[in-house]
Every structure is written in C-alpha cells, then in structure tokens.
Amino acid sequence: METGHHHKQERNTFSGSLGFVLAAAGSAVGLGNIWRFPYLAAKNGGGLFLLIYIILALTFGFTLLLTEVAIGRKTESGPLVAYGKMHERWGFLGLIATVIPAIILPYYSLIGGWVLKYFTVFATGGISNAAEDGFFGGFITAQWQPIIFHTVFFAATALIIYRGVNEGIEKLSRILMPILVVLVVGIAVYSCTLSYTDADGVTRTGLQGMAIYLIPDFTGLTFGKLLGIIMEAMGQLFYSLSIAMGIMIAYGSYLKKDADLPANVNRIEIFDTGIAVIAGLMIIPAVFTFMGRDAMSAGPGLMFISLPKVFQSMGKGTGTFIGVLFFLMVIFAALTSCISILEAIVSSLIDRFHMDRKKATILASLYGWIFGIIVALGYNVFYFEYTLPNGAVAQILDIFDYVSNNILMPLLAILTCVLVGWVLGPKSVLDEAKRGSARFAREGLFVIMLRFVCPVLLALVFLKAFGFFA
Ligand code: PHE
C-alpha cells in the first residue's frame, strides 16, 4: 500500500474510456447546445454558421480540449493544483480556473431550476399557462418559486457529486446520455415533419424550416460580418465544450493512464457538436412552422417563451407530450453539466486542502446553493439595471455570465496557450496525449493551433468583451 505524500491510491477514476467520454459529453452537452446554439445559428446565416462551427470544433476546439484533458491526466489533480504542478510560477491560473466554475455554478443551477419548473408545469397539464404572455417573467420575478426549484435542482446535483466519480458522475452519465440522444433525435424528426396553416392562410412546413437552418445564406455577407460570425461561433464553441473552466482538467485527472486521449477528445467533440446541430433541427423547424421566420432568432427567450407557444400550437395532447419529453431532456442535459461544474470545485478542494469528498461537497454545495438564491433575488429584491459593454441590460445572472464567459474564460484559455505553447513547450502535453495513442495524426496542426492560431483568436474574443468591434 502506498501512503504518505502520494494520493494516487485514493483518487477516483472513470472505469474506462466510455465512462469518461459519456461524462465529458454530459458536461459539454448542456443548455448551450440546446438553447443557445440553435438561435445563434438561425441569427447568423444558418448553414454558414454550422460550417464555420464544425471547422472550428475540429481545430480550435480539439486543441484546447486536448490540452486541458492532458494537463489533468498528467498532474492527476483538480484545476486549482494542476497549473502549479505544470509550472510553479503559473499556479495562479489554477485560481482563475476555480473561480470560473464558482461564478457559473449558482446561476447554472438557477436556470436548471427554471427548466424543472417548466417540466412540472407541462407534466401537470399546464401547457396553456406556460404559453401565456408574461408567464416566464412572472415566474422568475416571483419571490419563492425560483428559489425552491433551484434548491431541488441543486440538491440533485450535490447528491451525485457526493457519491463520487464512479458511483455518481459516471453512473448517471451512462444512463442519461443515451436517453438524451434518443429524445433529441426523436423530437428533431417530429419537428421536421410538421406543417401548419396560419390565420392568413400561409402554410409553412418543418422541411422549409430545416432548409433555412441547413442551407448557407450568403446574402449581404461582408468580410466584417463573416468575422463577426466566426467570433460568435468561437465564443459558443468554448462554452459548449466546457473549455477553460477547469472541468476538463478535473475529468482528465480521473482518466486511466492508458486511455487514448486524441481519440477520446474527438469523440467528445463529435458528440457535443452532433447534439448541437440536431438540437437546431429540433427547435428551428418547429418555431418556423408555427411562428414564422422572424421568430427563429428570438434569442434567449426562445426556450422559455417561444417554445411553450410552439408546443401549444401542436394541440393540447401532442403539445403536452412533446413538451414533457423536451423539458425532461433539457433537465438531463443541464444536470450532467451542473454536476461537472460542482465537481471542478470539489476536486480542487480535495486536492488543495486534502479534504475528503464529503466535506468538500458539503462546503462547495452550501456556497453554490446560497449564491444561487442571491442570483434568484436579482429579479426582485436585488433588482437593478446595469448596461454591459455589449449594450445588453443585465441583472446579477447576466453579469455573472458575462464576467465568466466573455472575460475570464478567454483570459484563462489565452494564458493556458502561452504556458503550454511557449513557456513549457507543446511537448509538455504532447507526450501525455500520445501516451495511450497508437498514432496521432494531427500533431503538427495541434502545435500551430496552440502557439499561434488559438491565442490570436482568443485575444479577439477577449477584446470583444470590452466593446471592441461591436
Ligand atoms: N457546456 C455546457 C453547455 O453547452 C455549459 C457548461 C457551462 C457546462 C459551464 C459546464 C459548465 O451548456
């Protein structure tokens, strides 16, 4: 038995590559895929956005994801400790990588609670209430309900993490992810077969909506606009792959030493991007059919405001059925993401302060639960209006989201590229990446991406957060 300064024996691991891929995909596939990706695609020329997104996923996404998973496995540590093990003087990156999930956790759980609320409303036959104007606003500004649903959602999250990597995260992901795929594909097929004639006698079909979503629209495309689309695609990719928030370092640290990193990273990417594209097929054709072209890029309100109306237009029985399945699927997606955020924090506490999992889970959970309540109160007791650099009016939730996604995450990713690409040299992660890999075809591309392309693109995303090239 090994003891003393060595923690290897106690460290949890995934049982194998499949468990790891499903857990990482569970983290990656979340609200970002289902709700944010479709409206971004609709807003940015459909197929053109998809094409750019897929190219970026295979290059930019692959590079950053592989780097993080390799850092995790190499150091066998959560993010707070991992960076310091890579390079003593760069340990502060670990702090940023722990602050980011700490900012995201409270509001992600709150939104998870909103989804739970919609699920219960549909499941109890309240479809026409949910479709009413003002339902969403009324709910999130209410005093108690959002807090209660956040509490339930958070308790589920904490329970899984309390049970550990194997018994908790991996087991849950193995059950939920396959169900999620079936639901997303099933709803997408249904959505593409819809047809509806509105009050003006205009008939629209799901297939037409699908064509708008998939076929690139080059009308009025300028170089500036193209750049804008690339930046939006990149920002989305980041968030969607759960990159630069310490999560993939934590999950990588639970991966067996002989697992093939490049192959597994590819699988995660394909899973995440595939679900995002199919989620678009689920939402865009349905919204187009019942609400017309302009409603497709409705933005953040799409899921909570437009979709209930879409479900209602399907008729009470069908709409309730599809709505229940839809929100159940979103709960699964959000839950597997939320557990990964909590795990990033818990793994850091365990490694840095040598806490046991139970204590770390309780501590991090208390924090997340209380701050989630504060974020919820941002819509009533603590209500204010703050204008972000991008012109959006924000409450506490939006500010948390902005600081983490638009500022801290690009910053952490840039610094990670500099550390690994220049200070330590790509070999520091390449050796780890190649350890269980028979052949790694994209090594040259990886080095160029890591040293040059990624930092430059990331710097653009970072500057954009401060209102440059708005
Ligand atoms: N990747 C998740 C998504 O696409 C979002 C996420 C954010 C997951 C933060 C974990 C942590 O929705």
Side-chain angles (χ1 to χ4, degrees):
M1 272 272 143
E2 267 186 299
T3 49
H5 60 284
H6 232 265
H7 283 265
K8 223 173 188 166
Q9 293 295 317
E10 305 152 26
R11 200 168 183 79
N12 284 277
T13 57
F14 290 113
S15 63
S17 285
L18 182 67
F20 166 73
V21 169
L22 289 179
S27 171
V29 174
L31 297 165
N33 300 58
I34 288 159
W35 147 83
R36 199 156 176 267
F37 183 89
Y39 86 72
L40 280 182
K43 194 180 96 183
N44 288 306
L48 180 63
F49 181 85
L50 298 188
L51 190 69
I52 292 173
Y53 187 86
I54 290 170
I55 294 173
L56 284 174
L58 294 174
T59 52
F60 179 81
F62 176 81
T63 305
L64 294 178
L65 191 54
L66 183 63
T67 301
E68 285 199 20
V69 176
I71 291 177
R73 188 170 72 170
K74 181 170 175 166
T75 59
E76 296 177 33
S77 309
L80 185 56
V81 176
Y83 283 99
K85 282 195 182 173
M86 293 297 286
H87 191 299
E88 232 177 302
R89 301 205 10 222
W90 287 68
F92 68 97
L93 290 193
L95 203 62
I96 306 178
T98 310
V99 166
I100 294 169
I103 294 176
I104 298 176
L105 179 65
Y107 79 78
Y108 207 85
S109 168
L110 180 66
I111 298 177
W114 295 353
V115 179
L116 192 59
K117 161 75 180 180
Y118 272 72
F119 172 76
T120 56
V121 170
F122 272 82
T124 53
I127 180 168
S128 35
N129 298 336
E132 250 166 51
D133 286 328
F135 177 83
F136 178 62
F139 165 63
I140 65 168
T141 54
Q143 181 81 72
W144 288 109
Q145 281 221 16
I147 294 179
I148 292 167
F149 282 98
H150 152 66
T151 302
V152 175
F153 188 84
F154 198 91
T157 305
L159 185 72
I160 308 285
I161 295 304
Y162 191 82
R163 300 187 53 173
V165 174
N166 235 290
E167 288 300 304
I169 300 172
E170 180 172 343
K171 247 191 193 156
L172 184 82
S173 309
R174 277 179 185 266
I175 299 169
L176 295 192
M177 295 316 284
I179 303 178
L180 185 143
V181 172
V182 172
L183 286 175
V184 175
V185 172
I187 298 173
V189 170
Y190 175 72
S191 176
C192 290
T193 59
L194 288 166
S195 153
Y196 179 73
T197 307
D198 66 16
D200 306 327
V202 183
T203 301
R204 287 183 302 264
T205 67
L207 279 180
Q208 290 167 343
M210 180 176 136
I212 295 173
Y213 173 57
L214 292 179
I215 298 169
D217 178 6
F218 295 105
T219 41
L221 188 70
T222 57
F223 181 71
K225 274 193 189 155
L226 184 67
L227 205 66
I229 296 177
I230 294 177
M231 307 260 284
E232 282 223 274
M234 205 157 42
Q236 167 65 11
L237 180 65
F238 227 95
Y239 186 74
S240 190
L241 286 174
S242 305
I243 289 170
M245 42 185 111
I247 291 170
M248 291 302 171
I249 295 183
Y251 277 18
S253 77
Y254 304 133
L255 187 57
K256 293 236 159 79
K257 285 290 180 191
D258 57 359
D260 183 337
L261 287 194
N264 284 325
V265 165
N266 262 330
R267 290 181 195 123
I268 299 168
E269 257 177 18
I270 292 171
F271 205 121
D272 185 63
T273 306
I275 293 288
V277 172
I278 303 171
L281 286 176
M282 174 174 78
I283 290 175
I284 306 286
V287 173
F288 173 77
T289 303
F290 292 111
M291 304 181 81
R293 191 166 184 142
D294 295 337
M296 292 189 340
S297 37
L302 191 66
M303 185 158 86
F304 293 115
I305 298 170
S306 313
L307 275 186
K309 293 185 200 292
V310 167
F311 293 139
Q312 198 190 25
S313 311
M314 293 173 180
K316 186 157 187 198
T318 315
T320 298
F321 181 67
I322 298 287
V324 165
L325 291 183
F326 176 83
F327 285 109
L328 183 67
M329 179 272 300
V330 184
I331 290 174
F332 289 178
L335 186 63
T336 47
S337 293
C338 200
I339 60 173
S340 73
I341 310 174
L342 182 55
E343 179 61 25
I345 303 171
V346 166
S347 74
S348 286
L349 291 178
I350 293 175
D351 292 336
R352 173 68 182 76
F353 302 105
H354 307 290
M355 279 183 201
D356 65 10
R357 170 166 289 270
K358 295 191 172 144
K359 197 163 152 208
T361 306
I362 291 170
L363 223 85
S365 297
L366 272 178
Y367 157 82
W369 178 60
I370 291 170
F371 272 76
I373 293 175
I374 294 175
V375 178
L377 295 178
Y379 292 100
N380 42 58
V381 182
F382 301 144
Y383 186 84
F384 57 81
E385 285 182 4
Y386 176 79
T387 308
L388 291 168
N390 67 2
V393 178
Q395 272 77 63
I396 300 179
L397 187 149
D398 311 284
I399 295 173
F400 276 29
D401 183 63
Y402 199 79
V403 171
S404 55
N405 292 327
N406 297 5
I407 301 176
L408 292 180
M409 284 165 57
L411 184 67
L412 177 64
I414 294 171
L415 293 174
T416 304
C417 289
V418 173
L419 172 65
V420 176
W422 297 94
V423 179
L424 295 165
K427 205 171 160 356
S428 62
V429 296
L430 271 176
D431 287 346
E432 183 65 36
K434 285 192 288 192
R435 190 196 268 271
S437 176
R439 73 198 161 90
F440 175 18
R442 284 189 270 168
E443 187 175 328
L445 178 70
F446 175 85
V447 173
I448 294 171
M449 291 298 302
L450 183 67
R451 301 186 90 164
F452 304 103
V453 184
C454 290
V456 171
L457 289 179
L458 288 163
L460 292 177
V461 173
F462 184 69
L463 290 177
K464 194 176 167 217
F466 294 97
F468 289 89
F469 21 78

